[in-house]
Amino acid sequence: MSVFDFFQKKKTAPVARERLQLLLAHERISPGSDLVSILREEILAVIAKHVEIEGDRLQIRIDRGENVSILEIDVEIPAKAARAA
Amino acid sequence: MSVFDFFQKKKTAPVARERLQLLLAHERISPGSDLVSILREEILAVIAKHVEIEGDRLQIRIDRGENVSILEIDVEIPAKAARAA
């Protein structure tokens, strides 16, 4: 399964919207460090600088496994906003 | 296949290093917008603020498909640097 399949398998946005999906995985040695939560706000701020984010079109999920934490951000972008990029 | 499998399938870093992997996919309508390249530098700058990046431990890949562009960043982090997070 290639990474394209991972992103394809999710319901693609209706034609009039583009979509931005981000996955961030931190494979830790020590349980303490919470890099994923630290990076979350700043990465969101970077994305928000370049695309129009509507509250109900944004999904954020954090999975904290024993050694791996994963941040998932999924944004549907109004097509006109994306074209400005 | 869950997203954990995707990240697990890659060779995990030797024990003394942590690892940060990022995937960013932009599903476009218009071929023109190059959001992934625009976000690449700024996301890297956010990561570099919080972890020590050694040149040879950083891998960056961009795949430009017809409708989907994917950015992949893979960073091995010296364990002591990650603990500061």
Side-chain angles (χ1 to χ4, degrees), chain B residues 2-30:
Chain B
S2 86
V3 71
F4 285 101
D5 303 325
F6 175 76
F7 285 107
Q8 298 309 343
K9 106 169 165 359
K10 294 208 173 181
K11 133 180 126 17
T12 48
V15 171
R17 292 190 167 277
E18 299 198 351
R19 187 179 199 161
L20 199 63
Q21 290 175 283
L22 180 138
L23 282 173
L24 177 71
H26 177 214
E27 199 178 312
R28 299 184 306 275
I29 293 172
S30 61

Short mmCIF file of all heavy atoms in Angstrom, two decimals, chain B residues 2-30:
data_model
loop_
_atom_site.label_atom_id
_atom_site.label_comp_id
_atom_site.label_asym_id
_atom_site.label_seq_id
_atom_site.Cartn_x
_atom_site.Cartn_y
_atom_site.Cartn_z
N SER B 2 -3.82 0.50 9.07
CA SER B 2 -4.06 1.77 9.76
C SER B 2 -2.83 2.65 9.55
O SER B 2 -1.78 2.21 9.10
CB SER B 2 -4.24 1.52 11.26
OG SER B 2 -2.96 1.50 11.86
N VAL B 3 -2.99 3.89 9.91
CA VAL B 3 -1.89 4.85 9.71
C VAL B 3 -0.67 4.42 10.52
O VAL B 3 0.45 4.64 10.12
CB VAL B 3 -2.35 6.27 10.10
CG1 VAL B 3 -2.52 6.42 11.61
CG2 VAL B 3 -1.39 7.30 9.56
N PHE B 4 -0.90 3.74 11.68
CA PHE B 4 0.26 3.29 12.47
C PHE B 4 1.11 2.37 11.61
O PHE B 4 2.32 2.45 11.61
CB PHE B 4 -0.20 2.54 13.73
CG PHE B 4 -0.72 3.46 14.81
CD1 PHE B 4 -2.08 3.63 15.00
CD2 PHE B 4 0.16 4.19 15.60
CE1 PHE B 4 -2.55 4.50 15.99
CE2 PHE B 4 -0.30 5.05 16.59
CZ PHE B 4 -1.66 5.20 16.78
N ASP B 5 0.43 1.48 10.84
CA ASP B 5 1.18 0.53 10.01
C ASP B 5 2.06 1.30 9.03
O ASP B 5 3.19 0.94 8.79
CB ASP B 5 0.23 -0.40 9.25
CG ASP B 5 -0.69 -1.14 10.21
OD1 ASP B 5 -0.21 -1.48 11.32
OD2 ASP B 5 -1.86 -1.35 9.89
N PHE B 6 1.49 2.38 8.48
CA PHE B 6 2.28 3.12 7.48
C PHE B 6 3.60 3.58 8.11
O PHE B 6 4.67 3.39 7.57
CB PHE B 6 1.53 4.33 6.94
CG PHE B 6 2.41 5.12 6.02
CD1 PHE B 6 2.68 4.66 4.74
CD2 PHE B 6 3.07 6.25 6.48
CE1 PHE B 6 3.55 5.34 3.91
CE2 PHE B 6 3.95 6.94 5.65
CZ PHE B 6 4.18 6.48 4.36
N PHE B 7 3.49 4.13 9.31
CA PHE B 7 4.71 4.66 9.89
C PHE B 7 5.59 3.54 10.40
O PHE B 7 6.80 3.64 10.38
CB PHE B 7 4.35 5.63 11.03
CG PHE B 7 3.84 6.94 10.52
CD1 PHE B 7 2.50 7.27 10.62
CD2 PHE B 7 4.69 7.84 9.88
CE1 PHE B 7 2.01 8.48 10.12
CE2 PHE B 7 4.23 9.04 9.37
CZ PHE B 7 2.88 9.36 9.49
N GLN B 8 4.95 2.44 10.89
CA GLN B 8 5.77 1.35 11.42
C GLN B 8 6.57 0.68 10.31
O GLN B 8 7.71 0.36 10.47
CB GLN B 8 4.89 0.27 12.08
CG GLN B 8 4.10 0.77 13.26
CD GLN B 8 4.95 1.53 14.29
OE1 GLN B 8 6.19 1.42 14.30
NE2 GLN B 8 4.32 2.34 15.13
N LYS B 9 5.96 0.56 9.13
CA LYS B 9 6.57 -0.29 8.06
C LYS B 9 7.95 0.26 7.71
O LYS B 9 8.82 -0.46 7.33
CB LYS B 9 5.60 -0.41 6.89
CG LYS B 9 5.87 0.35 5.62
CD LYS B 9 4.92 -0.17 4.54
CE LYS B 9 4.81 0.72 3.32
NZ LYS B 9 5.50 1.95 3.19
N LYS B 10 8.16 1.55 7.95
CA LYS B 10 9.48 2.09 7.58
C LYS B 10 10.48 1.63 8.65
O LYS B 10 10.12 1.40 9.77
CB LYS B 10 9.41 3.62 7.55
CG LYS B 10 8.50 4.11 6.44
CD LYS B 10 8.91 5.47 5.97
CE LYS B 10 8.10 5.86 4.74
NZ LYS B 10 8.49 7.17 4.23
N LYS B 11 11.74 1.56 8.27
CA LYS B 11 12.78 1.10 9.22
C LYS B 11 12.78 2.08 10.40
O LYS B 11 12.86 3.28 10.23
CB LYS B 11 14.11 1.04 8.45
CG LYS B 11 15.30 1.64 9.10
CD LYS B 11 16.53 1.52 8.24
CE LYS B 11 17.20 2.90 8.03
NZ LYS B 11 16.82 3.96 8.91
N THR B 12 12.54 1.56 11.61
CA THR B 12 12.48 2.49 12.75
C THR B 12 13.91 2.90 13.11
O THR B 12 14.85 2.17 12.84
CB THR B 12 11.85 1.79 13.98
OG1 THR B 12 12.49 0.54 14.13
CG2 THR B 12 10.35 1.62 13.80
N ALA B 13 14.05 4.05 13.67
CA ALA B 13 15.38 4.58 13.98
C ALA B 13 16.04 3.67 15.02
O ALA B 13 15.36 3.06 15.83
CB ALA B 13 15.24 5.98 14.55
N PRO B 14 17.36 3.57 15.01
CA PRO B 14 18.05 2.81 16.06
C PRO B 14 17.64 3.39 17.42
O PRO B 14 17.23 4.51 17.55
CB PRO B 14 19.54 3.06 15.77
CG PRO B 14 19.64 4.03 14.67
CD PRO B 14 18.27 4.21 14.08
N VAL B 15 17.78 2.55 18.49
CA VAL B 15 17.19 2.89 19.80
C VAL B 15 17.57 4.29 20.26
O VAL B 15 16.79 5.03 20.76
CB VAL B 15 17.60 1.82 20.85
CG1 VAL B 15 17.18 2.30 22.23
CG2 VAL B 15 16.96 0.49 20.51
N ALA B 16 18.87 4.75 20.00
CA ALA B 16 19.32 6.01 20.63
C ALA B 16 18.72 7.22 19.95
O ALA B 16 19.01 8.33 20.27
CB ALA B 16 20.83 6.08 20.56
N ARG B 17 17.88 7.03 18.92
CA ARG B 17 17.33 8.18 18.22
C ARG B 17 15.81 8.12 18.20
O ARG B 17 15.24 7.05 18.14
CB ARG B 17 17.82 8.18 16.75
CG ARG B 17 19.28 8.43 16.63
CD ARG B 17 19.70 8.65 15.19
NE ARG B 17 21.04 9.18 15.17
CZ ARG B 17 21.35 10.46 15.33
NH1 ARG B 17 20.39 11.34 15.48
NH2 ARG B 17 22.60 10.86 15.37
N GLU B 18 15.22 9.28 18.32
CA GLU B 18 13.78 9.34 18.10
C GLU B 18 13.57 9.71 16.64
O GLU B 18 14.51 9.96 15.91
CB GLU B 18 13.17 10.39 19.05
CG GLU B 18 13.41 10.02 20.52
CD GLU B 18 12.48 10.75 21.48
OE1 GLU B 18 11.77 11.68 21.04
OE2 GLU B 18 12.44 10.37 22.65
N ARG B 19 12.31 9.71 16.24
CA ARG B 19 12.05 9.96 14.81
C ARG B 19 10.76 10.76 14.64
O ARG B 19 9.78 10.54 15.34
CB ARG B 19 11.88 8.60 14.13
CG ARG B 19 11.77 8.70 12.64
CD ARG B 19 11.63 7.36 12.02
NE ARG B 19 11.98 7.41 10.61
CZ ARG B 19 12.30 6.36 9.93
NH1 ARG B 19 12.34 5.19 10.52
NH2 ARG B 19 12.59 6.47 8.65
N LEU B 20 10.83 11.70 13.72
CA LEU B 20 9.66 12.52 13.42
C LEU B 20 9.38 12.35 11.92
O LEU B 20 10.26 12.53 11.09
CB LEU B 20 9.98 13.99 13.72
CG LEU B 20 8.81 14.95 13.90
CD1 LEU B 20 7.98 14.54 15.13
CD2 LEU B 20 9.32 16.37 14.08
N GLN B 21 8.15 11.92 11.62
CA GLN B 21 7.80 11.75 10.20
C GLN B 21 6.55 12.58 9.93
O GLN B 21 5.59 12.55 10.69
CB GLN B 21 7.51 10.29 9.92
CG GLN B 21 8.75 9.40 9.97
CD GLN B 21 8.39 7.94 9.80
OE1 GLN B 21 7.92 7.32 10.73
NE2 GLN B 21 8.57 7.42 8.61
N LEU B 22 6.60 13.32 8.82
CA LEU B 22 5.46 14.15 8.45
C LEU B 22 5.05 13.86 7.02
O LEU B 22 5.89 13.72 6.14
CB LEU B 22 5.82 15.63 8.58
CG LEU B 22 4.73 16.63 8.23
CD1 LEU B 22 4.70 17.78 9.23
CD2 LEU B 22 4.88 17.17 6.82
N LEU B 23 3.74 13.72 6.84
CA LEU B 23 3.19 13.56 5.49
C LEU B 23 2.16 14.67 5.30
O LEU B 23 1.31 14.86 6.15
CB LEU B 23 2.47 12.21 5.36
CG LEU B 23 3.31 10.98 5.18
CD1 LEU B 23 2.45 9.72 5.24
CD2 LEU B 23 4.03 11.02 3.83
N LEU B 24 2.27 15.38 4.19
CA LEU B 24 1.31 16.44 3.90
C LEU B 24 0.81 16.19 2.49
O LEU B 24 1.60 16.12 1.56
CB LEU B 24 1.99 17.81 3.99
CG LEU B 24 1.13 19.02 3.64
CD1 LEU B 24 0.09 19.25 4.75
CD2 LEU B 24 2.00 20.26 3.49
N ALA B 25 -0.51 16.00 2.36
CA ALA B 25 -1.07 15.74 1.03
C ALA B 25 -2.03 16.86 0.68
O ALA B 25 -2.85 17.27 1.50
CB ALA B 25 -1.82 14.42 1.01
N HIS B 26 -1.89 17.39 -0.53
CA HIS B 26 -2.80 18.44 -1.00
C HIS B 26 -3.53 17.88 -2.22
O HIS B 26 -2.92 17.58 -3.24
CB HIS B 26 -2.02 19.70 -1.39
CG HIS B 26 -2.88 20.79 -1.95
ND1 HIS B 26 -2.47 21.65 -2.93
CD2 HIS B 26 -4.18 21.14 -1.67
CE1 HIS B 26 -3.45 22.51 -3.21
NE2 HIS B 26 -4.50 22.22 -2.45
N GLU B 27 -4.85 17.71 -2.02
CA GLU B 27 -5.70 17.22 -3.10
C GLU B 27 -6.24 18.45 -3.81
O GLU B 27 -7.01 19.22 -3.25
CB GLU B 27 -6.84 16.40 -2.49
CG GLU B 27 -7.53 15.47 -3.43
CD GLU B 27 -8.61 14.68 -2.68
OE1 GLU B 27 -8.33 14.14 -1.60
OE2 GLU B 27 -9.74 14.66 -3.17
N ARG B 28 -5.77 18.69 -5.02
CA ARG B 28 -6.08 19.94 -5.73
C ARG B 28 -7.22 19.76 -6.73
O ARG B 28 -7.49 18.67 -7.19
CB ARG B 28 -4.85 20.36 -6.56
CG ARG B 28 -3.60 20.62 -5.81
CD ARG B 28 -2.54 21.12 -6.76
NE ARG B 28 -2.36 20.20 -7.88
CZ ARG B 28 -1.57 19.13 -7.83
NH1 ARG B 28 -0.91 18.87 -6.72
NH2 ARG B 28 -1.44 18.32 -8.84
N ILE B 29 -7.82 20.93 -7.07
CA ILE B 29 -8.76 20.98 -8.20
C ILE B 29 -7.98 21.55 -9.37
O ILE B 29 -7.91 20.98 -10.43
CB ILE B 29 -9.97 21.88 -7.87
CG1 ILE B 29 -10.81 21.25 -6.77
CG2 ILE B 29 -10.82 22.10 -9.12
CD1 ILE B 29 -11.91 22.13 -6.25
N SER B 30 -7.31 22.69 -9.12
CA SER B 30 -6.59 23.31 -10.25
C SER B 30 -5.13 22.88 -10.15
O SER B 30 -4.56 22.84 -9.07
CB SER B 30 -6.65 24.84 -10.09
OG SER B 30 -6.02 25.18 -8.87
#
